[in-house]
Amino acid sequence: MSLTAGSRPDGTRPPAAVEEPTAAVAAATVKESVPRRAGTAGKVPFRVRLRRDRTLILMTLPVIVLLLIFNYVPLLGNVVAFQNYDPYAASNGITAIFHSPWVGVEQFSRMLDDPLFWSATKNTLVLFLLQLVLFFPVPIALALVINSVIRPRVRAVAQAIMYLPHFFSWVLVVTVFQQMLGGAGIIAQTLEKHGWSGFDLMTNASLFKYMVTAQAVWKDAGWGIIVFLAALAAVSTDLYEAAAMDGAGRWRRMWHVTLPALRPVIALLLVLRVGDALSVGFEQFLLQRYAVGAGASEVLDTYVWNMGIQNGDFSYAAAVGLAKGVIGVCLILGANKVAHLLGEQGVYKK
């Protein structure tokens, strides 16, 4: 009897031999068994990212350069707040910094003892609180009204009309209000022609804070509308349909669906607005300074300009500006902490 290849003398075949793993399979098995380092998993090399994003980097490079030149390099000039700066101590104003005497915190002590500084601070805080109460809710209300308009064409026209004043300069805004509400304005002249006594709201110091708030609302409310409409566009229509099926009316849908969707954006803008509390404006108040007097229109920005540019007291003006900036940063951090406590993200996450 002949035996076939691989068979035993009794005619049975031996069990199949287990193939030895190849070198590639063994290497892959060992590689998978070794855990990757936490910092190298999925990390793209810097050279690859630089080559991949070179177009975006080239696009943002001019903005970064301008930001450094006009926003960060001037911060070095805050050193004059601790000097008795004399721009004529050297051949130019930059080298004069190295020849001006150091006075420590003398300028800050002078600031705290200056009643004009406290008067400007009071006006600034009053205007900030007034604009926070009267100006901040206006874009939210207008965004809700525009969002409720069904026809897209009407909505687009209304949004464009409200957004247009944002492109106007403060000179044009003050001129429009002067021609409307001034002593020689259209309303006052019309009342005088019909036997009524005219008025001049633009020179009324007691109404000045309300006037500048109305100007800010007319000029910048359209910008806030765009922000809130963008937030409303992200709200799913399924939420409104589910609320309507549960019997919720228009007001309850706005209260339980729309406003909670706007809450993160409202919290973020409030944090930024609180951080900008001491910067209620410069050009707007400077243009109307002589109409109502410094007692009603002097804010910290105009106070710094008056002391530094007009009076030439650069060190004192730098000290006031530096203190204003530090307080603004503290207000942002505090408001952001409050936003975190309320469950919102704020400017940055925890």
Side-chain angles (χ1 to χ4, degrees):
M1 182 176 61
S2 62
L3 297 175
T4 59
S7 62
R8 294 176 178 178
D10 57 358
T12 60
R13 289 180 175 273
V18 179
E19 296 183 356
E20 294 292 333
T22 62
V25 176
T29 305
V30 173
K31 186 176 180 181
E32 290 296 330
S33 62
V34 177
R36 293 182 178 181
R37 294 182 179 178
T40 61
K43 185 176 182 181
V44 181
F46 175 76
R47 183 180 301 177
V48 176
R49 288 186 284 120
L50 185 63
R51 184 171 59 252
R52 180 192 62 190
D53 301 332
R54 61 182 181 273
T55 304
L56 296 176
I57 294 174
L58 290 176
M59 290 175 59
T60 58
L61 189 60
V63 179
I64 295 175
V65 172
L66 292 176
L67 189 66
L68 290 174
I69 294 175
F70 293 102
N71 290 84
Y72 287 95
V73 173
L75 291 177
L76 301 176
N78 285 325
V79 69
V80 302
F82 304 93
Q83 294 178 330
N84 189 8
Y85 176 69
D86 184 7
Y88 304 104
S91 59
N92 58 73
I94 298 178
T95 57
I97 296 177
F98 303 98
H99 296 83
S100 299
W102 293 87
V103 295
V105 295
E106 179 181 333
Q107 303 295 347
F108 296 94
S109 300
R110 176 185 167 192
M111 176 186 70
L112 296 177
D113 295 334
D114 189 359
L116 296 178
F117 166 76
W118 292 110
S119 176
T121 303
K122 177 184 176 181
N123 289 340
T124 303
L125 293 177
V126 169
L127 286 167
F128 161 69
L129 294 175
L130 187 64
Q131 292 186 7
L132 188 65
V133 174
L134 299 181
F135 171 63
F136 191 80
V138 172
I140 303 175
L142 293 177
L144 294 175
V145 171
I146 293 177
N147 190 64
S148 63
V149 177
I150 299 178
R151 294 187 177 183
R153 186 181 298 273
V154 177
R155 183 187 308 175
V157 171
Q159 183 177 348
I161 293 175
M162 294 179 184
Y163 185 54
L164 183 63
H166 177 73
F167 297 99
F168 296 165
S169 66
W170 278 114
V171 177
L172 182 58
V173 172
V174 174
T175 302
V176 170
F177 272 76
Q178 178 67 38
Q179 295 299 321
M180 294 292 295
L181 303 175
I186 297 176
I187 298 178
Q189 293 297 320
T190 303
L191 291 176
E192 289 182 356
K193 287 181 180 180
H194 291 80
W196 298 83
S197 59
F199 58 87
D200 188 1
L201 299 182
M202 299 299 293
T203 58
N204 192 330
S206 60
L207 297 178
F208 176 74
K209 53 183 177 291
Y210 302 103
M211 188 62 60
V212 295
T213 302
Q215 294 169 2
V217 169
W218 185 68
K219 184 179 187 298
D220 291 329
W223 172 257
I225 291 174
I226 292 181
V227 176
F228 291 112
L229 283 179
L232 289 174
V235 183
S236 175
T237 56
D238 296 339
L239 298 177
Y240 292 104
E241 294 175 359
M245 292 181 63
D246 291 339
R250 175 176 297 182
W251 291 105
R252 293 187 66 86
R253 290 198 300 269
M254 183 186 69
W255 183 260
H256 294 287
V257 178
T258 305
L259 291 181
L262 292 177
R263 190 172 63 181
V265 180
I266 295 174
L268 175 61
L269 295 181
L270 271 176
V271 170
L272 296 177
R273 188 68 188 91
V274 169
D276 207 29
L278 301 183
S279 300
V280 291
F282 169 72
E283 185 179 359
Q284 179 188 11
F285 294 89
L286 186 63
L287 291 170
Q288 304 173 85
R289 175 186 178 91
Y290 299 103
V292 296
S297 63
E298 188 78 295
V299 293
L300 286 176
D301 288 335
T302 58
Y303 179 72
V304 170
W305 172 83
N306 186 40
M307 300 302 296
I309 304 300
Q310 282 198 331
N311 298 343
D313 198 348
F314 299 104
S315 294
Y316 180 68
V320 176
L322 182 59
K324 172 175 162 291
V326 172
I327 294 174
V329 172
C330 295
L331 288 175
I332 286 182
L333 295 177
N336 198 72
K337 183 65 176 178
V338 174
H340 289 167
L341 294 176
L342 296 177
E344 300 297 336
Q345 177 177 336
V347 179
Y348 57 88
K349 295 182 179 180
K350 295 182 180 179

